[in-house]
Amino acid sequence: MQNLNDIYHQVPPDYWDSSYKNNIFQWLWHNIRFRALRKITKDINDGSNVLDVGCGSGFSIEKTLSGNFNVYGIDTTEEVISYAKKMRPDYHFQVGHAESLPFEDNFFDAIFYLDVIEHLKDPFLSLKEARRVLRPEGIVIILVAKENHPLFKIIWWAWKKMKGRVWEDAHLWIFDEDNLSKMIINAEFNTFKIHKTHFGMSLLVVLKK
């Protein structure tokens, strides 16, 4: 396996913007998820403080939200953050780590992990941090593929052999309903609900403080 730093640098900053625009399979897969996300997030009030953990270019949070929000994003490399600031100048991007969020307690109304939690060095510690910076009654939304799903295994293997070579070794954790639920409970969130898309291959989890 590669060094963690190398893994975080191997995906180009423009990957999501470019692949969504130019690859029909990416477009189809993610549009289903974005529609599901928008249904869940439609009740977030305008003016809310929103955090995108592992924001990349800000592509996913932009596709998820429609409204006037104070959007913050963190990612691990200067290269990614510089690109994000150029592409989406109205958002507040900065270099930071999910396990040590650079924000004060009770600051955010909503926190998003959009295809991110499986890449983190310590997802549990990050969720504890998310709970710290989340306001009472705030929500955390996790979007993650269920990689042990039989059909997803086939799709993911084929994808990495073709257009998805940049994701080799990039997923540090494999999540399903059981281990994700245990981690959420241990991080002391009061309630959570797991939704599924793509015939159960994609999990969409809503947590409340």
Side-chain angles (χ1 to χ4, degrees):
M1 180 174 288
Q2 300 180 60
N3 176 279
L4 186 59
N5 241 8
D6 294 337
I7 289 171
Y8 285 162
H9 281 83
Q10 74 188 31
V11 180
D14 67 343
Y15 178 86
W16 290 109
D17 294 285
S18 176
S19 62
Y20 183 81
K21 187 189 301 181
N22 299 316
N23 188 293
I24 186 63
F25 298 108
Q26 287 274 60
W27 186 88
L28 287 169
W29 175 269
H30 289 291
N31 261 10
I32 293 170
R33 303 169 103 202
F34 290 139
R35 282 199 297 270
L37 279 164
R38 284 192 286 267
K39 285 181 183 177
I40 288 171
T41 59
K42 62 183 174 58
D43 294 328
I44 299 176
N45 295 326
D46 273 6
S48 293
N49 291 335
V50 172
L51 174 62
D52 185 12
V53 178
C55 59
S57 69
F59 164 82
S60 292
I61 198 71
E62 182 183 69
K63 292 292 183 183
T64 295
L65 297 176
S66 57
N68 298 308
F69 302 100
N70 302 312
V71 178
Y72 295 77
I74 64 159
D75 215 306
T76 57
T77 70
E78 289 283 0
E79 181 186 16
V80 167
I81 292 300
S82 294
Y83 177 80
K85 287 178 177 179
K86 189 183 302 180
M87 291 296 293
R88 293 166 180 92
D90 292 337
Y91 293 173
H92 310 286
F93 294 113
Q94 67 185 87
V95 174
H97 291 273
E99 296 84 3
S100 180
L101 296 174
F103 304 103
E104 63 187 41
D105 295 359
N106 306 312
F107 184 72
F108 291 104
D109 301 284
I111 298 173
F112 292 82
Y113 292 80
L114 303 177
D115 289 312
V116 164
I117 201 161
E118 67 271 33
H119 299 278
L120 300 181
K121 181 180 179 181
D122 192 334
F124 171 71
L125 182 56
S126 181
L127 282 184
K128 293 284 285 184
E129 274 289 273
R131 191 181 184 284
R132 177 184 66 80
V133 302
L134 190 67
R135 288 175 178 164
E137 303 304 317
I139 61 171
V140 174
I141 295 177
I142 299 171
L143 182 64
V144 63
K146 183 179 175 181
E147 290 188 52
N148 58 9
H149 189 290
L151 181 55
F152 186 84
K153 284 182 178 180
I154 297 169
I155 293 171
W156 189 238
W157 178 85
W159 181 250
K160 287 196 295 182
K161 294 293 182 184
M162 298 182 296
K163 297 286 188 179
R165 293 186 185 93
V166 295
W167 299 110
E168 194 65 46
D169 290 330
H171 290 185
L172 308 180
W173 303 88
I174 294 177
F175 287 107
D176 58 23
E177 296 92 332
D178 290 338
N179 61 5
L180 199 51
S181 296
K182 287 176 184 175
M183 186 173 68
I184 291 167
I185 292 167
N186 288 335
E188 300 180 349
F189 281 88
N190 288 333
T191 60
F192 66 95
K193 185 172 183 180
I194 298 177
H195 308 263
K196 298 178 183 179
T197 68
H198 299 79
F199 308 105
M201 290 186 288
S202 185
L203 305 178
L204 179 52
V205 193
V206 183
L207 295 63
K208 292 189 177 180
K209 186 172 179 177

